[in-house]
Amino acid sequence: MMKVARLADGSPEIFHTLQGEGQSLGAPAVFLRLSQCNLHCHWCDTPYTWNWEKTPWEHQDGVKFQRAKESLELSSQEIAELISQHQCDRVVITGGEPLLQQKELIELIKQLPQISTIEFETNGTIIPHPELITPSIFFNVSPKLANSGMKTDLRINFEALKFFRDQSNAVFKFVVCDEDDLAEILQIQATLEIASSRIILMPEGRDQETLAQRAQWLAEVCLTHAFRFSPRLHVILWGNERAR
Ligand code: SF4
């Protein structure tokens, strides 16, 4: 059984939308949002996947969520059927941290023969199982910076990041709060020897005003360092609404 994020009406968070971030920005996709994360970033835009009552984690919103309301368990077959209801050949599996449920994901993917492209949104701390390394599976790796509030040894796993670096189907997406973040990004790039063309910078923000303000200077940083820039299309289109 897989732990899936649950919407206010009790249904699992599986929805058809446009990919809002990264290298396939704008592509129609079915999103599957899983519960649980091994990090607890203080600006996380999906704290309902992990910041449950009676946990010690802190988030800038100061809100705790009821686990039973925010998460449900479904079999891989049930999830595959829900995904198949949409006329779409791309699936984005996100969270939380989806690679915490790799065993179940391998079973799910076997039941999605109509899907031509699968993207994982991962924080880059967990090495994927060999069965997840296929030409149709892509990894959007988002190593967390000091701005996440996480200790370095929790958020940066160089062994895992090197694994992703060596995969042709992986890009690195950094969430940037301010210009001080750049030094850390450049240090990670130098340590791992990642080509600039595989690095995407994206402003942190859950509202259009914050994103627009940060996008201005971040665009200049991308031009200077030959990084790609990513907006957050879903926030521009729908604000912080869930399942969009
Ligand atoms: S790694 Fe991603 S899902 Fe997990 S807490 Fe950080 S921002 Fe949220």
Side-chain angles (χ1 to χ4, degrees), residues 30-202:
V30 179
F31 272 63
L32 164 63
R33 187 177 305 286
L34 300 179
S35 292
Q36 298 184 321
C37 192
N38 57 339
L39 298 183
H40 312 101
C41 307
H42 72 182
W43 46 252
C44 178
D45 61 356
T46 55
Y48 50 84
T49 62
W50 55 265
N51 197 16
W52 297 322
E53 289 176 338
K54 297 183 182 166
T55 60
W57 323 124
E58 292 182 6
H59 187 272
Q60 63 184 19
D61 291 349
V63 176
K64 286 286 185 186
F65 298 87
Q66 291 179 36
R67 183 174 184 149
K69 273 193 178 174
E70 302 295 339
S71 182
L72 77 165
E73 293 198 355
L74 293 176
S75 68
S76 56
Q77 187 178 357
E78 288 172 310
I79 295 172
E81 284 170 6
L82 290 167
I83 290 172
S84 302
Q85 288 175 5
H86 301 280
Q87 299 299 311
C88 189
D89 65 358
R90 179 184 296 268
V91 168
V92 178
I93 303 176
T94 186
E97 173 48 59
L99 293 180
L100 290 171
Q101 302 187 63
Q102 296 198 57
K103 190 166 148 265
E104 296 83 356
L105 284 167
I106 291 166
E107 289 309 306
L108 171 64
I109 288 166
K110 286 176 187 166
Q111 297 173 60
L112 297 171
Q114 80 281 16
I115 300 298
S116 61
T117 304
I118 293 172
E119 295 180 39
F120 279 100
E121 303 280 349
T122 176
N123 60 31
T125 58
I126 299 170
I127 295 175
H129 189 280
E131 287 192 53
L132 293 177
I133 306 303
T134 78
S136 62
I137 295 181
F138 294 77
F139 294 95
N140 303 322
V141 183
S142 185
K144 295 300 173 269
L145 303 175
N147 65 31
S148 66
M150 291 282 92
K151 288 183 182 167
T152 310
D153 59 344
L154 292 176
R155 60 186 170 81
I156 298 292
N157 176 353
F158 276 113
E159 188 188 356
L161 292 178
K162 281 178 184 161
F163 179 89
F164 287 114
R165 176 202 60 191
D166 295 339
Q167 308 306 312
S168 58
N169 285 1
V171 294
F172 295 83
K173 179 178 69 182
F174 291 94
V175 179
V176 182
C177 291
D178 59 43
E179 292 177 73
D180 291 344
D181 296 335
L182 183 61
E184 193 178 359
I185 294 167
L186 292 175
Q187 188 180 30
I188 293 171
Q189 180 187 22
T191 303
L192 292 169
E193 299 181 317
I194 307 170
S196 293
S197 59
R198 294 178 67 195
I199 292 181
I200 302 169
L201 303 191
M202 185 178 77

